[in-house]
Amino acid sequence: MVRWKEIPKEKLRWMYETMVKIREFETIVEQNFLRAEIPGFVHSYVGEEAIAAGIMANLRKDDYITSTHRGHGHLIAKGADLKKMMAEIYGKKTGYCKGKGGSMHIASIPLGVLGANGEVAGGIPIAVGAGLAIKFRGTDQVVVSFFGDGATNRGAFHEGLNFAAVYKLPIVFVVEFNEYASTAPAREMIPVKNVAIRAASYGFPGITIDGNNVLEVYEAGKMAIEWARCGSGPFLIEAKTYRLKGHFIGDPELYRDKREVQEFWKREPIKRYEKFLLEKGILTIEDIKNIKENIRRIVEEAVEFARNSEFPQPEEALEDLFVNDSGYDY
Amino acid sequence: MRTITFAQAICEGILEEMIKDETIITYGEDIAKQGGIFGAYKCLIENEKLKKRVFDTPISEEVIYGSALGAAIAGLKPIVEFHFADFLFTGITAITNQIMKFRYMTGGQVSLPIVLRGPDGVARSAAAQHSQSIETIFMHVPGIKVVIPSTPYDAKGLIKASIRDPDPVIFFEHKSLYKIKGPVPEDEYIIPLGKADIKREGEDITVIATARMVHEALKAAEILEKDGISVEVIDLRTLVPWDKTTVLNSVKKTGGAIVVHETWRRAGWGAEIAATINEELFGQLEIPVKRIGAKNVPHPFSPPLEHFIIPKAEDIVKEIRDLV
Ligand SMILES: Cc1ncc(C[n+]2csc(CCOP(=O)(O)OP(=O)(O)O)c2C)c(N)n1
Ligand SMILES: [Mg+2]
């Protein structure tokens, strides 16, 4: 049982708004990708919103996160400006990375977002490094590293966990266990039921939670982040969820049964949280309607901003490799 | 003759070899459920008999590649899919420090019939970690044969030769080529490694290329023909070993050469070919040997930026007009 009464009302509301924001953002990105407005490929976070919202509700602005190819939700929950995000996804100069990164590489260092990542488990070593820096500089910041179930099979995951434990780094590893790694079902590729036990072999705690219950995510996140912040070392949270969309937008999804997906839609996190908020009288139907309308408007404004922004000039491809960009044979 | 796609040609080549030789297994990420992200394994997964020998693996590149070595030593012929050339980097030590050195370090005790194959190259804003071509690395570090086909016909003949080769082979399939169609005979054929193919004959200058850039070079040749410039296009097809004889004979005839690759220009494999032409044909060249490659930055996401950094037909046309 989650002790939800201990969670401040503003937080309860913020988490709801954040989840809705992510859902709306992803929904429009999907539509506009299918209309060929967005280049490259995008991976939707739909269905996993409770994880980003529940964890980030416990982070400070100066805390760090590392994200993944499925990273829009993490950025939004860490406080990203939807306009700059959308512009980046559209490849525009006004985006977070001036169009150089796109969906899979969005980063905002001022927000503490040390990058989405095109490499599975690619963020884990970066999180370890940020943890080392925090320790050396003696601050009480925390790093949260998000990654998928598939990433827990990479050497970088195992090496990263061991490293974090050896140096007792303030890192919370968050596994978004969404049952699939691209076409590969977790049940076929991961021989243990819960990957949380993998933390035990590196000597730190790991827990498995319902990642579709934002209150449970919040509570686990609060505990883990406090643990890391007060110097107890790393912590691992395995949040069980389900990827409701294809691996990427446009995925033919021949590897799973449509009925399975429909079943999981019944457990999706936003409706579930909405029901709770209404039952407990935290929000009214009117509030929810207003929140949704407001967010839809913000997301639409972000799309307009992205559409109306300029593409970078071709020659700008030769900028940003080094601090002093002149004189190299680009 | 019937026409099939590049992806089908690869698949057929592997299928034919797997049916003949039961010691061949093939594995990698995301191949067995849908037949590969670019469809290169479709015909394998449709074949009941091969079910057990075509399988998916966890996302564990160092082990995927490194296990091919152990399997080969112990009597199998592994064909390993590397998913994206970019993710050769996440397991590269298993290739460069293990596969490519093992036979030599052990004084030639074993042969290692390993094929590492998969997609590389630029495709529609896949950005910096999903667009790279890194064949040069495998030409530089000794110990593996390097194959890069440009047509369905070549792909099929070369994949079969690669599988039969007793040594490790790395086989790159450019993403933009999987869907192209071309004539492929139904009867069996093999294209030996190390033989270039003259894709178009010409008199004035030789363009040496691989994969997507062969098609760009052919487009450039068409355009230049209207200017009265006759371009010979050589498809190198394999980089290790590379066909010096065909290249040098052609350059002797034309008196000039441009090497074109999609990978970065700086220290790309074109430099090796250009240097060799200079060493061997100094005095017989009418113009300096030139190189065309990507600008020396990572692949940017935004379409106008990506377009700007990668080489294309118009760059070849411009370079040749400036030269001749
Ligand atoms: C090192 C590496 N290997 C392979 C890939 C190709 N790839 C991209 S996403 C993905 C599946 C990732 O699964 P998971 O970690 O569970 O994250 P999810 O997509 O489910 O969020 C794969 C295999 C990659 N990007 N990086
Ligand atoms: Mg997953």
Side-chain angles (χ1 to χ4, degrees), chain A residues 180-192:
Chain A
Y180 287 90
S182 194
T183 65
R187 61 183 179 276
E188 290 179 25
M189 291 299 153
I190 299 173
V192 291

Side-chain angles (χ1 to χ4, degrees), chain B:
Chain B
M1 201 186 293
R2 65 170 184 153
T3 61
I4 59 174
T5 66
F6 189 90
Q8 284 169 327
I10 304 260
C11 202
E12 269 192 19
I14 299 173
L15 180 72
E16 287 173 15
E17 295 303 304
M18 285 189 83
I19 285 169
K20 260 192 293 222
D21 185 345
E22 295 209 336
T23 65
I24 300 173
I25 57 169
T26 185
Y27 56 99
E29 296 162 20
D30 297 308
I31 58 173
K33 292 271 194 288
Q34 288 185 166
I37 25 178
F38 298 99
Y41 276 22
K42 276 238 158 69
C43 74
L44 300 187
I45 62 165
E46 284 160 6
N47 190 304
E48 275 302 316
K49 278 192 230 126
L50 297 184
K51 274 247 149 77
K52 278 201 177 135
R53 288 193 280 140
V54 181
F55 59 95
D56 282 333
T57 67
I59 308 172
S60 308
E61 286 85 9
E62 187 177 345
V63 180
I64 299 172
Y65 311 144
S67 64
L69 174 58
I73 296 168
L76 294 181
K77 292 187 184 137
I79 302 172
V80 161
E81 140 122 10
F82 51 71
H83 204 56
F84 277 86
D86 311 75
F87 304 125
L88 284 163
F89 284 133
T90 55
I92 201 161
T93 187
I95 307 171
T96 49
N97 278 331
Q98 304 295 341
I99 293 174
M100 291 163 70
K101 294 185 170 52
F102 194 85
R103 177 181 156 79
Y104 185 80
M105 292 191 300
T106 57
Q109 291 180 48
V110 280
S111 72
L112 302 170
I114 298 167
V115 176
L116 306 169
R117 58 147 291 280
D120 75 348
V122 169
R124 290 184 39 245
S125 287
Q129 295 173 342
H130 286 79
S131 301
Q132 299 167 87
S133 297
I134 58 168
E135 67 275 17
T136 302
I137 293 169
F138 301 97
M139 190 186 196
H140 178 63
V141 183
I144 198 161
K145 297 178 183 176
V146 182
V147 183
I148 316 182
S150 71
T151 64
Y153 178 86
D154 288 352
K156 183 169 178 189
L158 287 165
I159 193 75
K160 286 170 73 86
S162 301
I163 296 167
R164 291 184 193 184
D165 200 277
D167 289 311
V169 175
I170 190 159
F171 193 97
F172 293 102
E173 302 156 13
H174 196 285
K175 295 181 200 91
S176 70
L177 298 179
Y178 280 115
K179 286 191 174 150
I180 66 160
K181 283 191 166 182
V184 174
E186 313 239 5
D187 292 340
E188 184 170 51
Y189 64 96
I190 296 272
I191 298 174
L193 306 188
K195 285 220 70 64
D197 184 41
I198 300 177
K199 288 279 190 294
R200 180 187 171 112
E201 295 199 5
E203 301 301 325
D204 300 328
I205 188 160
T206 304
V207 175
I208 301 143
T210 57
R212 183 179 75 84
M213 297 317 298
V214 171
H215 300 276
E216 295 296 303
L218 290 169
K219 271 188 239 164
E222 288 282 319
I223 295 166
L224 289 161
E225 188 177 33
K226 295 185 191 108
D227 297 3
I229 303 171
S230 161
V231 179
E232 179 142 307
V233 178
I234 297 185
D235 180 355
L236 223 39
R237 302 199 292 199
T238 62
L239 290 185
V240 178
W242 70 277
D243 188 351
K244 235 192 229 184
T245 315
T246 300
V247 169
L248 295 180
N249 284 342
S250 168
V251 182
K252 270 185 221 160
K253 176 180 78 175
T254 60
I258 300 188
V259 197
V260 187
H261 49 54
E262 189 185 281
T263 193
W264 297 283
R265 184 176 184 279
R266 185 176 60 221
W269 56 263
E272 175 67 23
I273 312 293
T276 306
I277 297 171
N278 271 326
E279 283 167 359
E280 305 277 334
L281 299 181
F282 185 72
Q284 297 178 58
L285 296 167
E286 290 156 26
I287 42 177
V289 183
K290 290 280 180 179
R291 290 174 291 148
I292 293 177
K295 298 201 166 56
N296 301 316
V297 290
H299 297 84
F301 166 73
S302 187
L305 303 184
E306 181 189 71
H307 184 78
F308 179 72
I309 76 137
I310 60 167
K312 41 211 166 285
E314 63 197 72
D315 301 310
I316 305 172
V317 169
K318 186 176 175 302
E319 190 77 51
I320 293 180
R321 280 192 182 138
D322 289 350
L323 277 174
V324 186

Side-chain angles (χ1 to χ4, degrees), chain A residues 179-211:
Chain A
E179 298 293 340
Y180 287 90
S182 194
T183 65
R187 61 183 179 276
E188 290 179 25
M189 291 299 153
I190 299 173
V192 291
K193 189 160 164 272
N194 297 323
V195 292
I197 68 156
R198 290 184 173 179
S201 51
Y202 301 104
F204 64 86
I207 56 170
T208 302
I209 61 164
D210 178 355

Side-chain angles (χ1 to χ4, degrees), chain A residues 46-218:
Chain A
V46 165
E48 308 183 28
E49 297 89 345
I51 304 172
I55 296 289
M56 242 66 85
N58 293 288
L59 284 187
R60 300 196 312 230
K61 188 150 190 271
D62 67 340
D63 289 326
Y64 296 117
I65 66 164
T66 65
S67 173
T68 67
H69 55 286
R70 202 175 301 292
H72 302 167
H74 307 140
L75 258 99
I76 291 170
K78 194 73 175 57
D81 174 348
L82 299 196
K83 287 187 174 147
K84 284 186 173 178
M85 264 185 83
M86 196 66 88
E88 186 61 33
I89 293 168
Y90 271 70
K92 299 298 176 76
K93 192 180 160 68
T94 50
Y96 268 115
C97 310
K98 305 180 206 165
K100 288 204 170 75
S103 165
M104 234 186 329
H105 304 291
I106 305 191
S108 168
I109 308 306
L111 284 178
V113 180
L114 310 188
N117 216 303
E119 203 183 282
V120 170
I124 295 174
I126 300 173
V128 168
L132 272 175
I134 290 168
K135 213 178 157 189
F136 267 89
R137 293 171 50 221
T139 68
D140 69 344
Q141 291 156 286
V142 164
V143 192
V144 176
S145 184
F146 293 93
F147 47 86
D149 45 274
T152 68
N153 287 332
R154 274 212 55 217
F157 165 81
H158 292 275
E159 295 175 31
L161 261 62
N162 187 58
F163 223 97
V166 165
Y167 297 107
K168 236 178 162 193
L169 303 178
I171 305 175
V172 176
F173 297 99
V174 177
V175 187
E176 299 179 319
F177 198 106
N178 64 7
E179 298 293 340
Y180 287 90
S182 194
T183 65
R187 61 183 179 276
E188 290 179 25
M189 291 299 153
I190 299 173
V192 291
K193 189 160 164 272
N194 297 323
V195 292
I197 68 156
R198 290 184 173 179
S201 51
Y202 301 104
F204 64 86
I207 56 170
T208 302
I209 61 164
D210 178 355
N212 280 13
N213 179 352
V214 69
L215 299 173
E216 202 172 317
V217 178
Y218 176 86

